[in-house]
Amino acid sequence: MLYRPLGSTGLQISVIGFGASPLGNEFGSIEPADAERSVHAAIDCGINLFDVAPYYGRTLAETRLGSALVSKRNKVVLATKCGRYDKDSFDFSQQRVITSVDESLRRLQTDYLDLLTAHDIEFGDREQILSETLPAMRKLQRQGKVRFIGVSGLPLRMLADVARRGDLDYVLSYCHYNMLSRDLDQVLRPVTQARNIGLLNASPLYMGALTESGPPEWHPAATAVRQAAAQVVSLCRARRVNPSVLALRFCIDYPYAASTLVGMSHPRQVEQNVSALQFQLDTNLLEEVDRIVAPVRDATWPSGCPENSDV
Ligand code: NAD
C-alpha cells in the first residue's frame, strides 16, 4: 500500500480508502459476513482509511462497520459524517451535529472519530455551514470527540467556495475526478492546494457505472453518460482488462487527492482493487476511453438547493 499526507492534518492515509456505503446495502443487499470479511481484508492489505455515514443504509453501514472494527479501531483512520440522515432529511444545526456524533460514536463502538464530514452540504444553507456547522464541529474537536473536520458534496463551486472561506481540514468530492470527469482539477484542487487542505476523491467507479454489474437503479447520471460508461466497460472486456481496476488506477495516479474512496462489500473486490496498485496502465487503452467519453466529459447533475447546485 502507498500512503499520502492528508493536507496539514499530519495523518498518513492509504491511497485506496474503503468506502463503506455498500455496507448499508446502498448498492444491493449484501451478506453481513462479507461486510466484516471485506473490512478485515482491507486492513490486512494496508488500507487504513474507512469512510461511512449515518445516511448509508440509514445507520446500518455504521453499525456493521463498528462491529467489524472491534479490536481493530487503532489500526484505522475512521471517518463518518453528520447533517444528512435520509434522502430528503438534512439538519446542519449545532445541536444536531452534537447529537449526531454521539449517536455515531455508539454505533461505531468508539469514543473518537478521526474525521467528521458535514455531509452533502449543498442541501444546507451555505452561511449556516460556515458560521454554525463548522464551528460546532471544531467544538467537538476541542472536546476530543473528533480529530479533524471537513465537508462533502457534489457541486464543485460550492465546495471550492467553502474551502476558500471556511475553517476546515479537508474536502471530500465525488464523481468529479475519474475516467468520465476531471473538472475537480480545475475548480476545487487549486483552492485545496493553495490552502494545504486535504482532498479526498470518492466514487472512482462513478458509483458502479464503471463496473461489470453497471450502475444501480438510482444512479443520477444522464442516459448518455451511462451509455458512455457501458461502452468503456465493453471496451475493457474486449481488451481483457477489469474496468474497475483500470478506473481505480486512473484515480490513484492523481497525486493531489490523498486517497481515492472506493465502495467495497466483498473480499474479492478488496483484492481486485488493491491489485490496481500493480496494474500497468496502457496509454493506448486510455486514449480509446477518452475518445468514447469526450462527448459527455465532465457531465454532472443538479444536486441540493438551486443556489448551491452547479447545474
Ligand atoms: P464507487 O465508484 O466506489 O462504486 C461502488 C460500487 O462499485 C459498488 O457497487 C461496489 O460494490 C462496486 N465495486 C467496487 N469494487 C469493485 C470491483 N473491483 N469490481 C466490481 N465492482 C466493484 O462509488 P461509491 O461507493 O459511491 O463511492 C465510494 C465511497 O466514497 C462511498 O462508499 C462513500 O464512502 C464515499 N462517498 C461519499 C460521498 C459524499 O460524502 N457525499 C458521495 C459519494 C461517495
Side-chain angles (χ1 to χ4, degrees), residues 32-33 39-40 59 62 86 102 104 122 133 137 144 158 179 221 269:
V39 170
H40 295 172
T59 71
E62 280 193 339
D86 211 332
D102 285 337
S104 290
E122 69 269 26
T133 315
M137 293 161 77
M158 179 177 186
M179 291 203 305
Q269 291 176 343

Side-chain angles (χ1 to χ4, degrees), residues 18-22 27 51-52 56 81 117 119-120 152-153 172 174 202-208 211-213 218 242 244-245 261-265 268-269 272-273:
F18 189 107
S21 68
F27 292 84
D51 178 69
V52 70
Y56 301 153
K81 311 195 181 80
T117 310
H119 195 175
D120 291 341
S152 78
L172 188 169
Y174 72 101
S203 310
L205 314 183
Y206 214 71
M207 301 195 298
T211 67
E212 282 291 351
S213 338
W218 50 259
N242 181 330
S244 308
V245 172
L261 289 167
V262 56
M264 299 185 257
S265 55
R268 194 177 51 246
Q269 291 176 343
Q272 283 176 1
N273 292 341

Side-chain angles (χ1 to χ4, degrees), residues 167-178:
D167 169 28
L168 43 74
D169 303 311
Y170 64 92
V171 177
L172 188 169
S173 160
Y174 72 101
C175 286
H176 282 292
Y177 193 96
N178 51 69

